[in-house]
Amino acid sequence: MTGIFIFSLLLRFWKLGQFNTLVFDEVYYAKFANNYLTGTHFFQSHPPLSQYLIAFGIWLGSHFPASPDTINTLTGSARSTWSYRWLNAFSGSFLPLIVGAIAYQLTSRRSYGLIAALLVALDGLFLVESRYALNNIYLVSFGLLGQLFFLLALESKNHQFRLLIFSGIFFGCCVSIKWNGLGFILGTYLILALYQLKNFSQIPHLSVFLNKLTQPAKILNHCQSLKFKNILISLVLIPIVTYTLLWIPHLIMNPQYNFWEVHREIYLFHRKIGGNSPEVHRYCSPWYTWLIMWRPVAYFYEKNEVIYDVHAMGNPLLWWMSSVAIFILLILFLTKLFQSKQDDWYPSEISLYLLFNYTANLLPWIKVSRCTFLYHYMAAYLFAILALAWMINQWLRSQMLLEKITGIVMIVVIIVAFIHWLPIYLGLPLSDLDFKLRLLFRNWI
């Protein structure tokens, strides 16, 4: 696990200061963060926490020497590119570890945690999002930390309520990045509702169905023992309080709107953005296209003698395998409901946890009418990766040679694919032919 962290850290910091400009939405987030440091009034269309973090990174990073060719005034002040990117890179390096910890907490299998962490480290979208002053890496990190502390609380006897409070704080921070962070909380609520329903079900047939749905009973079964008062305080009130408190510095520095007015303005701003069409933005993509990575987003493109390109896209083979894995998981789970015997190939607890969180982070986008982008799938995508990691883990643990070979081959091809597409994650120089070999489809360009 240490090796995976070092690998992630090195990739995220490699030539971090290159491209002395504002890349993609750095034109918003890096500028807004600098506005906090200069006392400049501004309106933004998302909650403020990611800008606080980037502002802290700029403030701290500005105390270190920087090469003159990495300094610009595009944020409104003379700042180095490294200063407004380093904290994202550092924070994003921990993402594989958080995912691995969740995998281990679900199953107590180190192999599953290791495979899950490795797969996340081998994805391009999380790498790209970590290398620039953007906000999505904070959203998934806080959301997953909320999930992790929730799972830790379920198995804790002496510190359960304290861990639940930490879970609620992280959930509040997640929503303070973007409102779609609510998907992580929704997934947790769905799990709690299902297991709490077992306590109150008086209908015999429903009780039998719920027992079958949640067998074998392991970590998630502890949801039944949680006190309603503790759930209400830690997972409802604490996130609300955290979210509200995190708005205070922004409102003090930008007094043109009060708390309720700024939320109305944000809502109206997103309502005014047009639908998913090239006329609104050339990289708009509706939610159902995310599953096949139909429309990645070009964050940076420059062509002189060579091409420098940064594409926000996943590792294609990992992405497609993960989409297949989550649908296989759904089919196996539904099939299991109509079978009398249980097996541990995909235990119900893992299936419930992954499917509830995947759908909670994906299906709400069906009702979103504004232009959406591939990176909005990042939260759901993580649970699809966890589904694939479990499948590979089961194959590697199998007594059948063919299944072991299948698991090994899948990991190898994912590694090879990551190496092949790495130049457009890191912005390495490419010839015209090399560029075409990475962007295989017209809709990827």
Side-chain angles (χ1 to χ4, degrees):
M1 202 62 90
T2 302
I4 292 174
F5 173 71
I6 294 173
F7 171 74
S8 298
L9 194 69
L10 291 175
L11 283 180
R12 280 156 176 78
F13 277 93
W14 188 88
K15 287 192 174 181
L16 186 65
Q18 72 173 346
F19 308 136
N20 188 5
T21 185
L22 297 177
V23 172
F24 195 61
D25 279 351
E26 285 186 334
V27 297
Y28 303 116
Y29 302 121
K31 281 185 177 180
F32 294 160
N34 190 67
N35 287 344
Y36 285 132
L37 300 176
T38 60
T40 304
H41 291 187
F42 67 98
F43 169 79
Q44 59 163 320
S45 60
H46 292 295
L49 180 55
S50 62
Q51 283 73 248
Y52 295 161
L53 295 171
I54 297 170
F56 170 75
I58 293 174
W59 173 80
L60 189 60
S62 296
H63 288 76
F64 295 90
S67 172
D69 61 358
T70 66
I71 297 174
N72 62 64
T73 58
L74 298 175
T75 61
S77 303
R79 307 292 187 185
S80 70
T81 52
W82 193 89
S83 71
Y84 52 77
R85 293 174 184 165
W86 76 268
L87 188 59
N88 280 58
F90 183 69
S91 302
S93 302
F94 287 91
L95 186 62
L97 303 190
I98 300 172
V99 174
I102 288 175
Y104 175 76
Q105 194 62 28
L106 273 174
T107 62
S108 298
R109 289 190 182 178
R110 294 183 183 274
S111 58
Y112 179 37
L114 186 63
I115 293 169
L118 177 63
L119 295 186
V120 174
L122 293 172
D123 184 73
L125 183 57
F126 298 116
L127 173 58
V128 171
E129 287 285 335
S130 300
R131 285 174 52 83
Y132 299 98
L134 307 172
N135 60 5
N136 295 305
I137 205 67
Y138 295 118
L139 181 141
V140 295
S141 295
F142 284 129
L144 289 174
L145 284 170
Q147 295 264 346
L148 176 59
F149 276 84
F150 171 70
L151 294 175
L152 289 169
L154 293 181
E155 286 201 320
S156 175
K157 294 181 180 179
N158 299 324
H159 306 291
Q160 185 177 79
F161 186 52
R162 185 182 305 171
L163 291 169
L164 283 174
I165 288 176
F166 277 113
S167 175
I169 291 172
F170 283 122
F171 283 143
C173 290
C174 180
V175 182
S176 297
I177 302 294
K178 282 184 176 180
W179 287 347
N180 54 292
L182 287 167
F184 287 100
I185 305 179
L186 176 59
T188 305
Y189 287 172
L190 291 174
I191 293 169
L192 283 169
L194 177 65
Y195 282 86
Q196 288 289 320
L197 185 60
K198 291 176 65 176
N199 288 336
F200 301 103
S201 176
Q202 304 297 323
I203 304 173
H205 290 298
L206 180 59
S207 297
V208 171
F209 175 76
L210 291 174
N211 286 329
K212 188 173 184 178
L213 189 66
T214 55
Q215 293 297 324
K218 294 182 181 179
I219 182 171
L220 294 185
N221 203 53
H222 296 307
C223 291
Q224 291 180 260
S225 63
L226 294 179
K227 297 178 181 178
F228 180 77
K229 178 187 70 173
N230 291 346
I231 294 174
L232 180 64
I233 293 173
S234 60
L235 297 178
V236 179
L237 295 181
I238 291 295
I240 293 173
V241 170
T242 301
Y243 177 82
T244 304
L245 292 177
L246 285 171
W247 270 99
I248 292 176
H250 176 86
L251 296 175
I252 291 174
M253 298 181 67
N254 297 275
Q256 62 268 41
Y257 298 118
N258 64 32
F259 181 80
W260 301 110
E261 290 171 341
V262 74
H263 282 76
R264 182 192 64 205
E265 293 299 318
I266 291 175
Y267 173 76
L268 293 175
F269 173 88
H270 289 286
R271 289 285 294 177
K272 292 175 183 177
I273 299 176
N276 282 303
S277 69
E279 289 74 24
V280 176
H281 194 290
R282 65 177 299 183
Y283 290 109
C284 288
S285 59
W287 69 272
Y288 52 84
T289 67
W290 302 339
L291 280 68
I292 58 172
M293 202 170 68
W294 178 258
R295 190 67 172 134
V297 184
Y299 278 5
F300 180 85
Y301 180 86
E302 181 180 86
K303 182 176 181 180
N304 294 308
E305 294 180 359
V306 292
I307 295 173
Y308 290 92
D309 176 77
V310 176
H311 250 67
M313 60 182 284
N315 178 332
L317 294 186
L318 173 58
W319 193 286
W320 296 329
M321 288 180 187
S322 298
S323 293
V324 172
I326 199 71
F327 279 103
I328 290 176
L329 171 60
L330 176 61
I331 292 170
L332 291 177
F333 178 70
L334 294 176
T335 302
K336 186 183 293 187
L337 294 180
F338 300 99
Q339 293 178 342
S340 57
K341 68 173 186 176
Q342 296 286 333
D343 62 75
D344 66 346
W345 210 91
Y346 254 126
S348 293
E349 283 199 329
I350 295 177
S351 302
L352 284 171
Y353 177 80
L354 297 182
L355 289 172
F356 276 8
N357 280 291
Y358 181 80
T359 54
N361 282 283
L362 176 63
L363 294 188
W365 290 101
I366 296 175
K367 298 297 292 182
V368 175
S369 59
R370 56 152 285 179
C371 171
T372 53
F373 300 93
L374 185 69
Y375 55 72
H376 289 128
Y377 182 63
M378 287 173 63
Y381 178 38
L382 283 165
F383 296 101
I385 290 177
L386 281 166
L388 177 63
W390 178 258
M391 182 181 294
I392 293 174
N393 179 71
Q394 291 296 80
W395 279 331
L396 294 178
R397 291 168 58 92
S398 172
Q399 300 300 315
M400 297 178 63
L401 180 60
L402 180 60
E403 291 188 354
K404 284 183 178 291
I405 293 175
T406 302
I408 294 172
V409 169
M410 291 183 73
I411 292 177
V412 170
V413 298
I414 289 170
I415 293 173
V416 171
F418 179 74
I419 295 172
H420 176 73
W421 274 282
L422 186 60
I424 62 172
Y425 303 146
L426 297 181
L428 302 179
L430 295 169
S431 66
D432 286 340
L433 177 59
D434 290 332
F435 179 72
K436 292 175 182 177
L437 287 174
R438 270 93 186 159
L439 299 180
L440 301 175
F441 309 109
R442 179 181 291 250
N443 48 285
W444 280 12
I445 299 175

